[in-house]
């Protein structure tokens, strides 16, 4: 489940299409970034944010590459593999609720995978 969702998230970024992950998100899901103070607290808020982000990436012809990696705290993580950021490697980790929907999505340093 974790790996499958992370692959769908990568596809959403690569095709600039949030609809790919929409059905996998719980209505009360949270999204957090260790580099941003505000934590998003709903599916609607996150999809609005991601839609705008993907439009910007597409408009600037930015292509993001990903790699599924094994983690310590999470079985799988989605590493942003073509990044050149001073903070070091980063990527996504995900947690699910009892219904199998995404309840928490984090973009974080690979040290926290």
């Amino acid at each position: 489940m974790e790996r499958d969702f992370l692959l769908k998230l990568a596809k959403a970024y690569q095709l600039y299409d949030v609809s790919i992950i929409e059905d996998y998100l719980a209505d009360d899901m949270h999204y957090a970034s260790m580099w941003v103070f505000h934590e998003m607290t709903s599916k609607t808020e996150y999809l609005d944010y991601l839609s705008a982000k993907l439009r910007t990436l597409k408009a600037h012809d930015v292509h993001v590459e990903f790699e599924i990696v094994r983690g310590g705290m999470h079985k799988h993580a989605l590493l942003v593999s073509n990044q050149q950021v001073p903070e070091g490697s980063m990527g996504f980790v995900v947690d699910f609720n009892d219904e199998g929907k995404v309840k928490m999505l984090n973009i974080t340093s690979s040290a926290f995978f």
Side-chain angles (χ1 to χ4, degrees):
M1 177 170 31
E2 185 180 52
R3 188 178 197 288
D4 292 339
F5 173 77
L6 292 171
L7 289 171
K8 296 232 183 260
L9 181 61
K11 187 175 181 180
Y13 269 85
Q14 292 164 337
L15 298 177
Y16 311 103
D17 183 1
V18 298
S19 70
I20 294 169
I21 62 165
E22 188 171 2
D23 292 340
Y24 296 88
L25 308 176
D27 289 337
D28 61 348
M29 65 94 59
H30 286 224
Y31 171 78
S33 167
M34 69 180 294
W35 297 282
V36 179
F37 181 72
H38 174 72
E39 182 173 309
M40 295 176 202
T41 59
S42 74
K43 174 181 179 176
T44 301
E45 183 180 16
Y46 175 66
L47 288 175
D48 288 347
Y49 157 79
L50 186 58
S51 292
K53 181 176 189 153
L54 294 179
R55 278 193 305 275
T56 300
L57 292 174
K58 185 175 184 178
H60 291 90
D61 200 31
V62 175
H63 302 279
V64 183
E65 295 174 21
F66 298 96
E67 177 184 353
I68 297 288
V69 296
R70 304 222 19 106
M73 292 180 261
H74 289 81
K75 186 174 181 181
H76 297 98
L78 184 63
L79 181 70
V80 179
S81 61
N82 64 329
Q83 61 195 334
Q84 296 181 6
V85 292
E87 293 89 357
S89 60
M90 65 180 182
F92 296 90
V93 292
V94 62
D95 295 298
F96 297 91
N97 65 18
D98 293 337
E99 290 81 42
K101 299 274 188 171
V102 173
K103 69 176 181 179
M104 185 69 195
L105 181 61
N106 282 286
I107 186 165
T108 188
S109 165
S110 62
F112 296 107
F113 289 175

